[in-house]
Amino acid sequence: MKRQLLGLLGWLLLVFAAAAIGGLASSSAGPFYQQLVRPDWAPPGWLFAPVWSMLYLLMGIAAWLVWRGPGFRGARIALALFLVQLAANAAEALARADARLWPVAYLPLVTGGLTAAGLFWLAARRRRRLARFARLRRDQSGE
């Protein structure tokens, strides 16, 4: 139980550290956001902080849920992809704050694509493994 709570705390600290980097990097974004030509349905600027806070809270809980069963060894690839994406999100926030770093702003898009490709690869491997197990079971039972 103690390990689980410490794990949850660790994951929450990690994601909120990334959120803090994004918050510090975009602390001067208010005036910039106000001068953008936005559609009528665009959310007000004050809404971003609570929404992003909730998203990061849920990301931390999701990472903890993946970690809590098998730990890092059992979920190494999934957690590594999560950490890469989290780092890319923080880097993207820094890039938005400094115009010289704008190419880095595309990093989450690239890492998100790599994460999706990795998840599809894992799903395909799992599907092949399940099919192989089903064949072995059929062969063993003589069906």
Side-chain angles (χ1 to χ4, degrees):
M1 178 70 167
K2 185 177 181 181
R3 179 182 180 269
Q4 295 298 323
L5 289 175
L6 288 174
L8 176 60
L9 181 63
W11 284 107
L12 290 175
L13 286 173
L14 184 66
V15 297
F16 278 109
I21 290 170
L24 290 173
S26 61
S27 62
S28 60
F32 172 74
Y33 184 73
Q34 293 305 321
Q35 53 182 286
L36 291 174
V37 178
R38 299 180 313 251
D40 293 335
W41 49 266
W46 61 265
L47 190 59
F48 285 95
V51 168
W52 277 104
S53 297
M54 181 59 70
L55 286 172
Y56 275 99
L57 172 67
L58 294 173
M59 286 167 52
I61 292 170
W64 171 69
L65 288 171
V66 170
W67 167 85
R68 75 179 184 157
F72 282 107
R73 287 192 183 148
R76 182 177 48 237
I77 294 173
L79 291 173
L81 291 171
F82 174 81
L83 292 172
V84 167
Q85 186 66 40
L86 189 64
N89 286 347
E92 185 266 341
L94 290 172
R96 276 187 282 119
D98 187 342
R100 294 171 298 174
L101 298 175
W102 267 98
V104 177
Y106 294 103
L107 199 55
L109 210 57
V110 172
T111 58
L114 291 174
T115 300
L119 291 174
F120 282 124
W121 177 74
L122 287 173
R125 282 189 55 187
R126 178 170 288 157
R127 191 173 190 194
R128 280 195 314 263
R129 188 171 50 242
L130 288 173
R132 191 175 309 133
F133 288 164
R135 275 194 311 273
L136 285 172
R137 186 163 182 236
R138 261 193 322 264
D139 291 345
Q140 290 172 353
S141 67
E143 293 176 9

